[in-house]
């Protein structure tokens, strides 16, 4: 059986979001090397999935934030 690694971060909002503002405000804070990935949005604009440039390391602490500029 293989070891599972986190490969995406999915965030669901209570209402549709402005995609560009969320993507600019999104930041992986731990580990910082995981910024620069890609975003995919649901059709209704309420869920965004972030895929980092490489899978997170097994058992790694991962933290992210979405700044106040998102709308």
């Amino acid at each position: 059986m293989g070891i599972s690694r986190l490969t995406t971060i999915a965030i669901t909002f209570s209402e549709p979001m402005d995609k560009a503002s969320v993507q600019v405000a999104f930041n992986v804070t731990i580990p910082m090397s995981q910024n620069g990935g890609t975003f995919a949005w649901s059709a209704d604009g309420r869920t965004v999935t972030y895929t980092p440039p490489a899978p997170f390391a097994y058992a790694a602490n991962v933290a992210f934030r979405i700044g106040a500029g998102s709308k």
Side-chain angles (χ1 to χ4, degrees):
M1 184 158 145
I3 295 174
S4 176
R5 296 195 293 172
L6 179 66
T7 57
T8 62
I9 297 171
I11 305 155
T12 300
F13 299 96
S14 61
E15 59 188 70
M17 299 296 286
D18 175 72
K19 296 173 185 177
S21 72
V22 171
Q23 290 175 200
V24 168
F26 180 89
N27 186 35
V28 176
T29 56
I30 300 173
M32 292 176 59
S33 64
Q34 292 291 45
N35 287 297
T38 60
F39 297 90
W41 285 85
S42 63
D44 66 2
R46 292 183 56 229
T47 300
V48 60
T49 301
Y50 174 75
T51 302
F56 296 105
Y58 177 74
N61 288 321
V62 176
F64 67 92
R65 64 180 231 123
I66 300 174
S70 61
K71 48 187 172 177

